[in-house]
Amino acid sequence: MGFEQLLQTIMDSDVNIRHSVITDADGNIITVNHRPGVINYLSEEETVASLKRAASAWKARKELSPKIGRGLYAVAAYEKITRITFPLGENNLIFLSMGSDAVRMDFHGGGQKQIIEHVLNILSGDPTKA
């Protein structure tokens, strides 16, 4: 599955996902998907800087993997959004942002735990889990 299709599959998995990005290991953007009507809180420059910082943090996590295991995801929660980062193979990362609303107004989407579970299942490549 190509990166664009992967992001679309992830976006389709839950209506609460606002924005998704795939980067290389250095945080350079490869592809982006936005939920229609969603407006970014950060400028393009701020988004790029944030992705580069998060990619650097993943490099540090990788250094610990021989002792504590491979990183599965990381969550950064803010007042307005929650960002979840997943490794994608050895050389890429997926960043998702979702609203930080404590109460979901829709009945078909999930909360943070469900979104993480959906994405991990999609990334596993096992169609019986997605």
Side-chain angles (χ1 to χ4, degrees), residues 87-115:
L88 178 59
E90 290 296 314
N91 301 312
N92 299 100
L93 297 167
I94 296 178
F95 296 88
L96 305 180
S97 71
M98 54 184 262
S100 288
D101 303 332
V103 177
R104 298 290 179 214
M105 300 309 290
D106 60 288
F107 297 108
H108 301 291
Q112 176 179 308
K113 183 177 178 182
Q114 289 79 19
I115 290 172

Side-chain angles (χ1 to χ4, degrees), residues 26-39:
D26 294 320
N28 299 307
I29 296 173
I30 295 172
T31 190
V32 176
N33 193 325
H34 257 93
R35 176 107 22 231
V38 168
I39 298 182

